[in-house]
Amino acid sequence: MATKSKKAIVQVRVDEDVKSQAVEVLTNLGMDTSTAINVFLRQVVAENGLPFQPKIARFNEVTISAIKESDEMVANGAYDANKSVDDLFDEVLGEHQ
């Protein structure tokens, strides 16, 4: 005869915006928050740790400079969203006429 497992209550404080966004995503997946948390906790047990690799983005000065330059290009209208990838490579490699 199978025994019924005990249920525990977990209370978590989260940012309201994050919760709202998560609920929307989970609803689209056909899942409620409780089910998603249960899935997460079961994966923690199965993986014996977090089921993903937490990462901190580390940018060097070259990357930061490139990101800023790109943001400025977009803000100034210098970026043409209609260009193909080939056109962009041609331009970067100096082959664009």
Side-chain angles (χ1 to χ4, degrees):
M1 184 168 151
T3 60
K4 197 172 189 179
S5 65
K6 295 180 183 179
K7 300 292 181 185
I9 296 173
V10 177
Q11 290 182 323
V12 181
R13 293 191 185 278
V14 296
D15 181 275
E16 287 182 26
D17 291 335
V18 171
K19 182 186 178 214
S20 295
Q21 292 173 29
V23 167
E24 185 176 336
V25 171
L26 294 171
T27 300
N28 289 335
L29 293 171
M31 187 181 304
D32 64 12
T33 307
S34 182
T35 301
I37 292 170
N38 272 290
V39 169
F40 171 75
L41 293 176
R42 288 177 185 272
Q43 282 302 114
V44 167
V45 172
E47 298 285 331
N48 197 31
L50 291 174
F52 52 85
Q53 180 70 34
K55 295 181 182 180
I56 297 173
R58 295 184 185 179
F59 299 116
N60 61 31
E61 291 302 318
V62 173
T63 305
I64 292 169
S65 175
I67 291 169
K68 286 180 181 177
E69 181 181 351
S70 173
D71 288 345
E72 288 172 9
M73 289 174 66
V74 170
N76 295 331
Y79 173 73
D80 182 359
N82 297 315
K83 286 186 179 179
S84 71
V85 173
D86 289 335
D87 289 340
L88 292 172
F89 274 112
D90 288 347
E91 187 174 328
V92 169
L93 297 173
E95 298 169 12
H96 188 69
Q97 307 268 337

